């Protein structure tokens, strides 16, 4: 049974998609069977892996709503499988609102294919709405990227509140997988202050690997490649490989 990890933070631009795409590619590189589930209507994870959608391509929207079998929505790439996403997912929330078990639709969709993977990573949208609730209700754990910037922890209390509510009411096994500091800049005091503050809050949940701010990581998506393909020997590639190793060693000891 694959472990389902929701990569979530309701703040936009903190590195969720960058982490989802590169962690998926690095877990795949380490020999794991990985599915990246793009669950943000922006579809950035989809395009970051070089997948472009035609009119008839099925996406996470159909899997979620349940009009198609989940496996029909999945595409294979050289960095693992992806369930792509397009703008139609943006219209899913009002549709879900009238459905029974509306919080469990993604869980039902992923149950169908779960045994084919070691890890399923969900790239969440920057909200705490019904899509993110579906992701948390489907997941075994949440991985929280936090950007090393002023007010980094702002909003985290609210995120944890939602996490606790989902755990209490829908998904008692939900855990915090880990917290990854992103866009770390070793030249600034601010980055190290934020890192200290986040470690005080989350303790041992914070990964030793911090993701630096690097041009390569920002460039790679426009070439439709994860950084381990775009520039294998870059620091960004090295750090996401090491983050994947940390995640594996926490899970496979
Ligand atoms: N470590 C990094 N170094 C440089 N740029 C980054 C890094 N991580 C993310 N970015 C860039 O910052 C922007 C926001 O990142 P993204 O992963 O899309 O965040 P989110 O999914 O949380 O909105 C994107 O343009 C991305 O390329
Ligand atoms: Mg994103």
């Amino acid at each position: 049974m694959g472990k389902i990890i929701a990569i979530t933070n309701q703040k936009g631009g903190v590195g969720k998609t960058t982490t989802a795409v590169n962690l998926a590619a690095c877990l795949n590189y380490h020999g794991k069977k990985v599915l990246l589930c793009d669950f943000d209507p922006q579809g950035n994870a989809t395009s970051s892996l070089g997948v472009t959608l035609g009119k008839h391509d099925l996406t996470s929207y159909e899997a979620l709503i349940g009009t198609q079998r989940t496996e029909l929505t999945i595409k294979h790439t050289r960095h693992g499988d992806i369930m792509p996403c397009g703008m139609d997912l943006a219209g899913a929330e009002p549709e879900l609102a009238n459905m029974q078990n509306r919080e469990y639709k993604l869980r039902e969709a992923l149950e169908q294919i779960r045994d084919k993977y070691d890890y399923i990573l969900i790239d969440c949208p920057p909200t705490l709405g019904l899509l993110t609730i579906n992701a948390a209700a489907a997941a075994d754990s949440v991985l929280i990227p936090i950007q090393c910037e002023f007010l980094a922890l702002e909003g985290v209390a609210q995120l944890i509140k939602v996490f606790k509510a989902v755990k209490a009411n829908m998904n008692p096994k939900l855990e915090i997988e880990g917290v990854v500091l992103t866009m770390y800049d070793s030249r600034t005091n601010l980055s190290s202050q934020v890192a200290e503050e986040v470690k005080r809050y989350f303790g041992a949940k914070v990964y030793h690997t911090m993701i630096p701010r690097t041009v390569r990581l920002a460039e790679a998506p426009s070439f439709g490649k994860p950084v381990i393909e775009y520039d294998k020997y870059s620091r960004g590639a090295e750090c996401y490989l090491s983050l994947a190793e940390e995640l594996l060693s926490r899970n496979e000891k």
Side-chain angles (χ1 to χ4, degrees), residues 94-113:
E95 264 180 84
L96 285 174
N98 298 316
M99 290 183 167
Q100 269 189 337
N101 290 332
R102 61 189 172 187
E103 294 93 354
Y104 298 100
K105 301 310 272 183
L106 184 63
R107 176 192 284 204
E108 287 168 13
L110 295 180
E111 285 302 334
Q112 296 170 31
I113 44 86

Side-chain angles (χ1 to χ4, degrees), residues 16-18 40 44 123-124 126:
K16 287 183 291 297
T17 301
T18 305
D40 181 349
N44 292 336
D123 185 26
C124 291

Side-chain angles (χ1 to χ4, degrees), residues 25 27 36 48 62 79 93 138 150 162 167 219 225 235:
L27 289 169
L36 174 59
S48 296
E62 283 83 11
H79 300 285
E93 289 208 10
F150 187 55
V162 170
K167 187 174 165 77
E219 285 172 346
K225 293 174 180 173
R235 267 190 71 218

Side-chain angles (χ1 to χ4, degrees), residues 6-11 93 103-104 124-139 141-142 144 155-176 201-202:
I7 299 179
T8 184
N9 184 331
Q10 78 276 27
K11 257 196 201 181
E93 289 208 10
E103 294 93 354
Y104 298 100
C124 291
T127 62
L128 290 173
L130 200 44
L131 291 178
T132 295
I133 303 281
N134 260 272
S141 62
V142 297
I144 307 170
V156 167
Q158 204 188 351
L159 174 62
I160 296 302
K161 201 171 143 190
V162 170
F163 164 83
K164 286 185 173 158
V166 171
K167 187 174 165 77
N169 300 308
M170 294 167 215
N171 185 6
K173 284 190 292 195
L174 188 64
E175 286 178 9
I176 295 181
Y201 192 95
F202 285 104

